[in-house]
Amino acid sequence: MGRFASPEIMECSGLVVSRKNPGVLWVHNDSGDKARLFAVKEDGSLRGIFHLARADSKDWEDLALGPCRDPGKECLYVGDIGDNEKHRRKIQIYRVEEPTVPLDGPPVRRKLKGTERFDCTYPDGPHDAEALFVDPVAGIPYLITKERGDSAASVYRFPGTRSRKTVILEKVATLPSLSSVTGGDITQDGSMILLRDYFLAYGYFRPQGGGISEAFDVPPHRVLLGIEQQGESLGVAPSGTEIYTASE
């Protein structure tokens, strides 16, 4: 489709396809960058840089869309979930309402106010993770760990109720056929989850009337991706029939 035109997009690690702004992709850099999101067109041309107020950036790894706290609004969820050395006591997920992106004129630079921060911890010790998606029906975030070697990736989610300031994640599934998960997304209707590694995408189909975790009970459908140098991001178009990817 194109190449990122902005030299400030140096190491793309997360991507999600906007539903509010047709033809716009949201992306962000990997660790070492500021707490900011880039809005680009499908050809990679820059439309805006948006800084998240009161947010940090230790190791941003993925980006998702999902419901806001206010009904009828949609938010961007940013996963500061990378932990290569597995030493972080807490990871963070940020939520902010998706802004309108101007499709014409020079690229804009804005600050996004009203950013919410969720401190999270795993129930069984630190994990490295690079994939995040949000159930569009229940509004619950899911994280998928990235493992080394032959170790199986695991799926964690926000609990249904949260009574503590720090969110204690729940483990809901193990993925025996996957280890190096580098990105993921879910269709707008919640019927299919797509995860990726460096070479393939894996489609998990949610059973009719079933929950997200039940989708991982069945072996996935494999999708061959284009050849990329360290592909780490994936986003599903609103149509549910197109996949966008980007290399790091």
Side-chain angles (χ1 to χ4, degrees):
M1 298 296 293
R3 294 180 179 271
F4 293 123
S6 171
E8 295 184 71
I9 304 176
M10 302 171 290
E11 196 177 6
C12 177
S13 183
L15 178 153
V16 74
V17 184
S18 177
R19 297 192 278 261
K20 181 177 181 178
N21 305 280
V24 169
L25 311 176
W26 291 101
V27 300
H28 63 72
N29 283 318
D30 207 325
S31 59
D33 196 19
K34 303 172 184 177
R36 59 181 179 171
L37 299 172
F38 301 86
V40 302
K41 286 188 174 182
E42 294 176 350
D43 62 1
S45 58
L46 182 67
R47 294 308 314 141
I49 300 177
F50 297 79
H51 291 257
L52 273 64
R54 298 186 298 176
D56 296 320
S57 176
K58 294 184 179 69
D59 192 354
W60 284 17
E61 287 292 355
D62 206 4
L63 186 60
L65 278 170
C68 296
R69 184 191 301 270
D70 297 332
K73 294 183 178 181
E74 194 155 52
C75 279
L76 291 161
Y77 289 70
V78 184
D80 193 344
I81 55 178
D83 189 6
N84 291 327
E85 304 303 323
K86 299 184 179 180
H87 68 269
R88 293 177 63 177
R89 291 180 55 250
K90 295 180 181 180
I91 55 175
Q92 286 75 41
I93 293 179
Y94 296 99
R95 180 171 68 183
V96 65
E97 184 177 350
E98 183 184 8
T100 300
V101 177
L103 300 181
D104 299 307
V108 299
R109 288 180 181 264
R110 294 178 182 169
K111 180 173 287 188
L112 299 181
K113 299 180 180 179
T115 303
E116 299 174 86
R117 169 176 169 158
F118 300 94
D119 290 318
C120 311
T121 186
Y122 294 97
D124 51 358
H127 292 276
D128 185 28
E130 294 190 4
L132 167 72
F133 68 86
V134 179
D135 182 351
V137 179
I140 296 176
Y142 285 74
L143 288 75
I144 297 87
T145 64
K146 181 184 181 184
E147 306 295 342
R148 298 175 182 176
D150 296 328
S151 298
S154 297
V155 182
Y156 292 82
R157 72 177 179 191
F158 273 41
T161 58
R162 299 189 296 274
S163 58
R164 302 180 182 182
K165 187 174 182 181
T166 299
V167 177
I168 301 177
L169 301 170
E170 296 178 343
K171 184 176 179 178
V172 296
T174 300
L175 308 179
S177 61
L178 286 179
S179 56
S180 297
V181 179
T182 62
D185 200 2
I186 189 170
T187 55
Q188 188 174 3
D189 63 1
S191 63
M192 182 176 64
I193 300 127
L194 274 164
L195 305 179
R196 73 162 297 169
D197 57 20
Y198 294 118
F199 308 104
L200 297 169
Y202 304 82
Y204 294 87
F205 294 90
R206 184 178 190 167
Q208 189 171 4
I212 291 288
S213 59
E214 295 176 65
F216 299 113
D217 292 338
V218 180
H221 174 74
R222 296 188 177 190
V223 180
L224 184 64
L225 301 178
I227 298 174
E228 296 174 311
Q229 185 173 352
Q230 196 166 340
E232 290 212 0
S233 56
L234 175 148
V236 184
S239 65
T241 61
E242 296 173 308
I243 303 170
Y244 292 83
T245 68
S247 64
E248 191 179 67

